[in-house]
Amino acid sequence: MTLDGPAERRDEGQQAAMANGNGMAPLPPRMSGMPSGAALHSDQRLRLHPNTEHEPQDYTDVRGEYAPAVYSALELHLPPSLLEADRDDKLQFMQNILSRYWPRGERNKVQRHKEYRQKILHLYKPLHEELYSMHASAFFLPTFLEAVRTNTKESIASIMAEPIPGVFSFPMLQPKFCDMLFEEVDNFESWVHAMKFKIMRPNTMNKYGAVLDDFGLETMLNDFMEKFITPISKVFYPEVGGGTLDSHHAFVVEYGKDRDVELGFHVDDSEVTLNVCLGKQFSGGQLYFRGVRCENHVNSEAQQEEIYDYPHVPGWAVLHRGRHRHGARPTSSGLRMNLLLWCRRICVISLLELICPTGLLPLPSPDWRSCQLVWL
């Protein structure tokens, strides 16, 4: 068969690595020397494997350049002498390491995005306040809620269809929730236009749509992922860490007249992707799948059993691995809006290979620059 074009990797740079952005982080050149905060522990090595018996402290109140999950994950690798230290001491130690090994130019990009988001949160008045905190019974269909709350493989599988291996579809969202989110996004985009702000788009491939976290929905969507997607991913995607998802990138995309028409063949920057159609009236726009491949073979031909076109239905979700190759057929009429939740987990070993100071953790191989840092 002939593929629909080369599979693209969505890339928004280092912002993703440290601030829950929407891309894959490239490895910067390795630096020498040691952060000043590491001096007291220069005779000890960070653990290569996490101390799973240690309970990391809560860093959700820490504001700055790095996502709280980075600190929680990195704490498991601290030298033994630091594990029982005060939180402030551990935090300073980790921040010194991170700041030394993350280029200033990339930090500046994240800071600009942070300021952009804070300005929006300060000025934007939501249309539907009830969307900004989790109300499960109002958001989800009863069948979906019951399956997840029962939390067994059998209960979850009972609402799922698996048309091809690794791709699951199921009814998920209440029609009212779909309508409210649709209206909220439209309200936000109208407000951005009136304020003459430049809206940040979800990724490098979609020219229309919005990042939901940018205007206040981050907390609700984090609950969405942790309580309702992680239990499913734990059952169906254990090999990509489906049970340990700890960060997300949430956005909507828009297809139709005067919008994006189609989406090229690509893979997502996620471990697990949730894609839910919000509506409204449209034709076309099928999501086509072409199997899972490694980075080296991402554009190889698909086998017949891997080929599947998924027709969008408002309120229905499709769940798949981020590395499952896919694209969107042209939306031939009407307007289609979809909610996308890219669910991710931190790969601490890759992170440590990037940011550990000399002498604390040896690099695993001389060709480390060819490796990719898993997105955070």
Side-chain angles (χ1 to χ4, degrees), residues 37-38 41 46 78-79 82 89-97:
H41 305 277
L46 290 172
L78 290 179
L82 261 180
D89 291 338
K90 289 186 283 192
L91 186 60
Q92 181 182 4
F93 181 79
M94 291 187 287
Q95 286 176 333
N96 284 339
I97 293 174

Side-chain angles (χ1 to χ4, degrees), residues 229-234 237-245 271-272 345:
I229 304 305
T230 297
I232 300 174
S233 299
K234 182 178 181 180
Y237 306 115
E239 76 288 349
V240 296
T244 57
L245 304 173
E271 268 65 61
V272 177
R345 68 183 179 91

